[in-house]
Structure formats: structure tokens, C-alpha cells
Amino acid sequence: MKRRDFYDLGIRCRDERVKSFAFELGFKDIWIFSEPDNFEGGPLLLNPLNRKEFKKLIAKYHSKASIIAILSSNMKNDRAFIRNDFVHILYGAHRYRFDRSFVRDIEENNIAVLFDLSTLLEKGRQRSVSIYRMRHNYFLLKKRDIPILLSSGAKNIFSMRPPDEMIAMASLFDMEEDDALRALSDDAERIRKRTSPNYIREGVEVVEKGYER
Amino acid sequence: MKDERFRYLAVKIHSEKEIRKEEFVKEMWSSAYSLLGDLGVSKMNLRVVRYDYPFAVIRCSHKSVKMLSAVLGCMKEVDEKEICVQILGISGTIKTATEKFIQKRLLE
């Protein structure tokens, strides 16, 4: 059986022990998202209230951030945000139910959707509603073969979860095991490549640079 | 009727402070009831068979390993202490679960 490398690309914890703890849990690498207030380079998570604020933030950070994710809020705003070329990831698929045209937009703009599993740690009605929405959104995304990422969305070190448990948690919203494995390894690897300086666009990258005579 | 088959999950509990067995067991049952309901839990045959912080061996029916993994994944805190439960391995006997996954870790 092929040995896989796992990645958790949606950590929001600034603890310095987080990398070593992730390694102990079985991850090869993680991404730690910063917010504009504490941004010092690397992946950036934006949570704009409206389009005007979004444009300002993108103009300010698009050249500094290695990858930009948008925290999902509502479909109307998110639809406008994901059309921007500098946005790579829609963070969170539990805030609302996607519809078909929204999923088509996600596909056309080559956006990956990150499922934040930290929402499953809350008990009661909130968790039930989140599971229902995630199930709905997962099936729509799967139909169009859109890259899905799974993340613990950890805001502190002990909210992180090992890959096996994340796969089991994904089964709560009927995500198939193969898809969950792909979300944690192959799709994550594909998204990671976008931060490489050789990356140009999906399927196009610099393999070798020529030398001038 | 066939004898029920069990699986034993060797787990490691990560937390800032030590978690007592009673606290852990209470939270595990609470998490299981909240996630699966009475009917779901009745099919799991759940029991903590060994506990020596930070390691534990948890028994469940062989059909409900995935559900137990989800239950452990959904455990957030015990007595207001944040925890993360890591599954070290799954085995058919307590002896293997202890020797292969826990004692091996202690020797490393």
C-alpha cells in the first residue's frame, strides 16, 4: 500500500510547539494561517465584511502572502471574493449551504474548499447543523471534482487532530475514506505546490530554467 | 449467537495537565452520547480497560472502530482542560495493544 504524507493546511494557532506536535501526530507539514493583524508573511486568512474592504486587503497583501484564503461568511460576498485571481482557498464549508451555481464558480476559479473540522468539536444543535451543511456541500463539490482540504482548524495546540481521527470525523458527514485520504494528502500536496516559485498555474510549472549565452 | 468480537484501541492523551481516569471516562461517554445517541452507543460496547496517564486502552466492538475514532476526535476538553486523544494503534487483544503500541513508545 502506498505510504502517504499528510498535511493539515488550515491551522490558526500561533503556539511555537505546533510544528513539533503536528509531526508527533503524523503530519509531514502544516500551514499556519495569519490574519492581517498579525501577518508576517506566509499563508493569510482574510475575513472581509464587504467587497470594498476585500479589495483594500487584497491590494495590500496579495504580493506578500504565499497563499490567500477567504473565511466563508455568506454566499453573496463569497461569490464575489472567489472570483478574484489572488484567492486560492475558501476556508470553511459549514456556514451555509452551497448551491450549484456557486459550486460552478468555485470550479471555474480553481478554488479549493477547506472543511474546518473544529466545528465538530462543539456539541448540540450547532454541530448537527454544521454536519448537515458539510454533507450537502461535500456532495456538490464531489460531483464537480473540486479539490477539498480537511483541516482541524486548530486555534490552540490541543485542538489539532491526527489524520486517522480526521478521516473518522469526515465520515460523520458521509465523506468517503478515499476522498478524505486524498483531501489530507494528494489535494493538499497539489495546493502546496501553488506556493512554489516555479508554479505558474494549474498544470503549468517551470521544470527547468534555461541559461542565457 | 456468535461471541462478540472486540477491538482494543491504544491511545495517548495529550493535555497540559494530568487527566484522571474518572474524568476521561466521563467525558468519553458524554462525547459518545452527544455524537451517536443512546442507540449508537449501545452498539459500541465501550469500555476503558487500561488507564495509565497519558496512555489508555479502550475496548469497542469490532464494527465500531471508526465511530470510536470519531468520538475520540470530537472530545474537546476534560474538566476545562483541552485535550487531544491520539490513536496509537488498533489490535484484537489487550496484550498486543499494550505491548506493541504503548510499551514500544515508552522504550523509544
Side-chain angles (χ1 to χ4, degrees), chain A:
Chain A
M1 200 177 142
K2 185 184 155 194
R3 169 140 170 68
R4 288 174 186 264
D5 294 325
F6 294 112
Y7 304 92
D8 188 339
L9 303 185
I11 304 284
R12 295 166 70 185
C13 164
R14 310 289 303 170
D15 197 316
E16 55 195 24
R17 298 170 294 171
V18 72
K19 283 227 166 183
S20 59
F21 189 59
F23 185 70
E24 190 181 343
L25 293 183
F27 290 104
K28 190 183 177 193
D29 193 15
I30 55 168
W31 271 355
I32 302 168
F33 274 94
S34 315
E35 285 171 31
D37 305 336
N38 53 22
F39 182 69
E40 293 164 358
L44 175 69
L45 180 63
L46 297 179
N47 186 16
L49 295 172
N50 51 46
R51 295 178 199 191
K52 200 176 163 189
E53 193 187 338
F54 171 72
K55 278 184 181 173
K56 267 188 192 170
L57 289 168
I58 285 288
K60 190 173 174 187
Y61 292 107
H62 80 266
S63 56
K64 297 171 193 163
S66 60
I67 206 122
I68 294 180
I70 288 290
L71 191 66
S72 70
S73 51
N74 63 66
M75 203 180 346
K76 194 182 163 197
N77 280 346
D78 289 350
R79 195 189 291 271
F81 300 158
I82 61 165
R83 285 180 179 157
N84 189 295
D85 285 344
F86 297 112
V87 174
H88 302 98
I89 296 173
L90 180 65
Y91 193 109
H94 60 275
R95 299 279 172 97
Y96 52 87
R97 281 173 43 139
F98 297 169
D99 64 21
R100 284 184 172 76
S101 72
F102 183 64
V103 173
R104 204 181 309 124
D105 277 354
I106 291 176
E107 188 190 20
E108 282 167 7
N109 292 289
N110 201 13
I111 301 283
V113 179
L114 186 141
F115 281 67
D116 176 4
L117 300 180
S118 67
T119 181
L120 302 180
L121 304 186
E122 304 299 329
K123 288 180 183 172
R125 184 177 174 272
Q126 194 186 337
R127 177 159 67 188
S128 311
V129 173
S130 294
I131 290 175
Y132 163 70
R133 287 175 183 158
M134 285 160 109
R135 183 182 296 126
H136 173 88
N137 295 344
Y138 162 66
F139 280 111
L140 284 183
L141 294 168
K142 185 180 159 68
K143 262 188 187 175
R144 289 197 168 261
D145 206 18
I146 290 167
I148 295 173
L149 300 174
L150 280 179
S151 171
S152 58
K155 287 181 184 161
N156 68 59
I157 189 168
F158 295 115
S159 302
M160 290 181 69
R161 295 289 176 265
D164 294 344
E165 281 173 35
M166 281 166 67
I167 292 165
M169 286 166 85
S171 74
L172 295 174
F173 53 89
D174 297 339
M175 191 175 199
E176 287 165 23
E177 196 172 329
D178 286 347
D179 288 343
L181 279 168
R182 210 170 54 213
L184 282 166
S185 57
D186 301 345
D187 281 353
E189 180 80 64
R190 227 163 78 199
I191 302 296
R192 273 178 88 241
K193 275 190 183 167
R194 291 187 189 181
T195 55
S196 153
N198 292 336
Y199 177 84
I200 295 169
R201 55 168 298 151
E202 197 62 37
V204 185
E205 62 183 294
V206 179
V207 199
E208 197 180 328
K209 282 183 181 158
Y211 296 98
E212 281 180 31
R213 288 185 184 175

Side-chain angles (χ1 to χ4, degrees), chain B residues 67-85:
Chain B
M67 277 293 119
L68 179 56
S69 303
V71 165
L72 296 173
C74 289
M75 283 173 73
K76 188 181 176 188
E77 53 186 20
V78 173
D79 201 21
E80 295 179 357
K81 290 171 252 178
E82 297 266 357
I83 62 160
C84 168
V85 183

